[in-house]
Amino acid sequence: MVKKKNLLKTGCLLLVLAMSMASLSGCGNKNEDVITTSAGKAEQVSGSSGIESEYLGKCYSAEYTDLYKGNENTYVELYGNYHGKILYRVSDYSNGEEAFYLFDLNTKESEKLDIKFTEDSDKQYIMNVSANKADQLAVLINEASGTSEEQSDVNYKINLYNADAGFEKTIDLKEIQNEYPEDDRYVSNLILLDNNCLAFSIGSDVIILDEDGNEKGKVNSSFDFINSMSLNNEGKILLTGYGMKGLETLIVNPDSLSSEGKYDNFPMAYNAAPCSTKDGMMIVASDNQLNLYDPASQKQDLILNYIDCEIIGNNINRIFVTDEGQIVLFLQDWSSNTSEMVYLKEIDPAQVVQKEEITFGTLFGIDSDVEKAIVNFNKKNEKYRIKVVTYANEDNIQSEDDAIQALSSMNNSLITDSCPDIIDLSYVNRDNLVQKNVLLDLNEFFDYSSKYDKNDYLPNILDVYTVNGVLTSIPKNIHLNVILGGKSVLGDVNSWTLQDFMDVCKKYPDAQPFSYTTKESMLFALLSGSSSSYLNYAEGTCNFDNDDFKKVLEFCNQFPEDIDYSNVDIDPDAYSKHEILFLDRTLWGVDDYMMYYSMYGESVKIMGYPNAKGNNGIALSSEGSYGISAKTKYKEAIFEFLEVLLEDEVDQFTYNSGISPRKSLLEKQFERAMEEEYVLDENGEKIVDENGEYIRIPKMTIGTETGMYEIYSASKEDIDQIRDAIERIDYLNSEDYDLYMMIYEEAQPYFKGQKSVDETAKVIQSRMSMYISEHY
Amino acid sequence: MKATDIVKKSKTSKKMKKEKRRSGLFLAPSFLGVMLFFVIPFFVIIYYSMVDNPISKEFVFLNNFKAIIQNKAFRTAAFNTFRFSVISVPLAVILSLILAIMLNEKVPFHSQLRTFFLSPLMVPVASVVLIWQVLFHANGAVNDILQFLFHTEPIDWLKSDSGYIVVIVLFLWKNLGYNMILFMAALASIPKDIIEVALLESANPFQIFFKIKIRYLSSTILFVTIMSLISSFKVFREVYLLTGDYPYGSLYMLQTFMNNTFKSLDYQKLSSAAVLMSIIMVIIIGSLFLVENAFGKDVEG
């Protein structure tokens, strides 16, 4: 009896122990059926979301094909399956010629088609081409009528061709176009259905034409903009577009002319239209990965990560599946005007070359430059590959709190053994990381690299990135955060105090300091460069309870609380007429400066943000700022990657691509910006005007919120102005949003008349003193 | 010793050993949990408080403690927490004791009053904070009443030097009921015959209270004081919900400091502040035990 009791007790005890162990084991990460990757190939354990498809659970290799070896003036566009081959078009901007080709995936050869879809390539432009299963073709043509001044008078036509590419008829869309407001007549997304009906989008509507080209009906999507149209396996049209909740989907039945709901849990497809497969699935290219979506179960699964397969995801322009079921991606790199076709080849996982992984940690993901550099590095390097770790991706970010949580998770990993080898420093506090010895001093990179010389870099820019003697990152290009104003208003001054700034504003009582100035925007603008006047990080003290700051609050208080932007139109000449005095801007380069020149109609002064002492330098920001973990085992491999990442040629500098921190490239940028452009005759000779002078032409025309501005070449004075501003760069614009928000929050009662300026300054001083002494 | 006794003793000792092993196994899950989530992390904290940073992990002994004692934010936080505890804990103990004695007597509506004082325990902190914000805002009800009665200027209570008074009131409102119940239970357990004897010997109510009841209540007073002290250190939750990360100086508590240093990855400041705080807590609680031992040692039971 006693024995039995003991047995029962022991059994209970074991049960309790087993339950405790089981509950503890529940704390672990269950997400194990994700992907193992290696050497640029992706492998996936299938069925993680319950979808069964031939595309899942395979290991893919990306096979690249150059469809056409062109030059910088050549543009390639790919349309999809046609007669069992791939149809694409090559246009040459330099001579206006264009030709269509068919590419055979088996022989890897292209054959030129003897067809011409436009009569006058100067006035007609092919917008889209769609082929149906019977190999009939529909070509959407945009035809400009009248002179160049009347470019807005654009007419769309659809030309139809039979399976032998023989012309059948033209459908003029003018009548349909005219039913829409003038600024909403853009026709796009053509589909030739198998029953010879046509579908295209205009505004937020999908229009269906019958086989005779007559309007059968329309379906309103309620999207602001229809992003893409594609056919699903049932012959219904899947729309993606921007609605109230961001990118949304809508299924349209072209027969019943009705909408049939949407796909839930659909991956975000920003660039290319989704594509259907034979087994009824949809292949969707989202930001970082190629997904498979099952319309029946409304579930998605991963086919591959782009970087694992050495594909630049940002460049994906079109996806389609060949008749043999092979996935083909068409990549278009707009920055270098090159295009590539990639087809995914199934390979044996055993063939995959194993490489050591270097981790690249980023909060929100990588930009296209980094993606390109990683893919190039992974393609060339036989020993290492870079893997991107994103702490805040689409799956776990729904709100601002989620983003804060992700940042906290990233920060925690930086100071532990799970620190990534390469760190995106955009959202983290680099001072803090240097203090904790997390970052490697990148001066070592200059000792390693034979391609990059430290002396070629502008010293003040490297100083900005240096914390306590540690060079935290090396920028590829930089931008200046500045206040711009006309020389007639600012004179010859290069720096100013807050009082100077307020005095200039008082001098023009009828003018607005900035466009759409509110109390909040003015307070932020004035705090941007002056926080160091009030906060002393070195001593852990602050000084908001003084007359200077009270004056700032009083000055900001004269502006409206809010602006109804829908009722405010800015006169294009507002800047030249001194109705608006300044621009609070990021200066991207010389072309950008010249646009402001054109805006002000005079030389523009580049000023730093005013502060109490008037010793204001210029703030710098760079698109990407990447550090290296001091604990990395792959220092030299990362230096190799850094060489790829920092690669920059002056030819690649386009409008808004930034200012080079390297002296040699910067001078080339300046030279290029100073090159004049003139009107040329048919022999390429400059034409002179009635005064015998060459006729200058603008390098480009830029449209802004206030109007269109022509950009001419820069003069030596303009370049000197920019050079001087670059030399005055002395701090990194790392906006402490929490700090601004705290000040703004406390300023609100004063702006609403509930508190005096003294009380407000006292509260701000109290809260800020806690903030600053905590960081001391 | 007889052989049978030896056999008996050895049997007993075997049984005891078995019993101990079994108890040990039953205790193991709790023991493991306490070790895993309290004891080991505490030693990790001590370790972190003595290294320069989590990456190079260089031993710096007391440097982090020296730095934190010199830090103005820490000193302000320590002062505010100390001021808050020194005012609120005795108030919480004394007021709840008075309420318990009052409700122990036959006062009218005593069961309704008991429910009234206990109800704050049932209200979620988030909603309490919301009400408090409305009451103590610059345009809130408290200012309206003060203005009506005393013609005072409105005060933005939570952003003024008097901010801590609001939190003390909130703390008392939230905790009095719980303390009161503990005291009521302790009062009910005082032997009635002793009180009757005291009454027969012409002791007045004050003598009965101070000479008898307080002695019998000493262990409960100690317990309530320790619980109130711990709660006073946890008042951060209310302060955070009322004022956020960086409150007005008078409301900046030790846990605010720790929370912010955690967010800014300053684990050295965080861990040394935590170690200092725990040392102070141990000293205070140890002293309270000594006082209770000295004061209540002659009480029966």
Side-chain angles (χ1 to χ4, degrees), chain B residues 200-217:
Chain B
L200 283 174
E201 298 211 353
S202 314
N204 63 34
F206 284 101
Q207 282 171 323
I208 292 172
F209 179 75
F210 285 108
K211 302 278 180 189
I212 301 170
K213 286 186 176 174
I214 283 286
R215 293 259 165 152
Y216 272 93
L217 288 174

Side-chain angles (χ1 to χ4, degrees), chain A residues 53-55 81 131 133 191 194 228-238 263 266 272-285 290-295 303 318-328:
Chain A
S53 167
E54 60 168 312
Y55 295 102
N81 290 321
K133 278 181 187 160
I191 294 179
D194 291 335
S228 75
M229 266 171 56
S230 47
L231 276 182
N232 72 9
N233 221 30
E234 295 167 340
K236 290 171 187 166
I237 300 166
L238 169 67
Y263 286 156
F266 197 75
C275 158
S276 67
T277 66
K278 278 182 186 168
D279 54 4
M281 306 285 169
M282 302 293 295
I283 294 177
V284 191
L290 197 67
N291 294 296
L292 193 75
Y293 181 79
D294 181 4
I303 299 176
R318 199 173 275 258
I319 322 163
F320 67 95
V321 177
T322 63
D323 294 341
E324 287 82 36
Q326 197 160 24
I327 301 172
V328 178

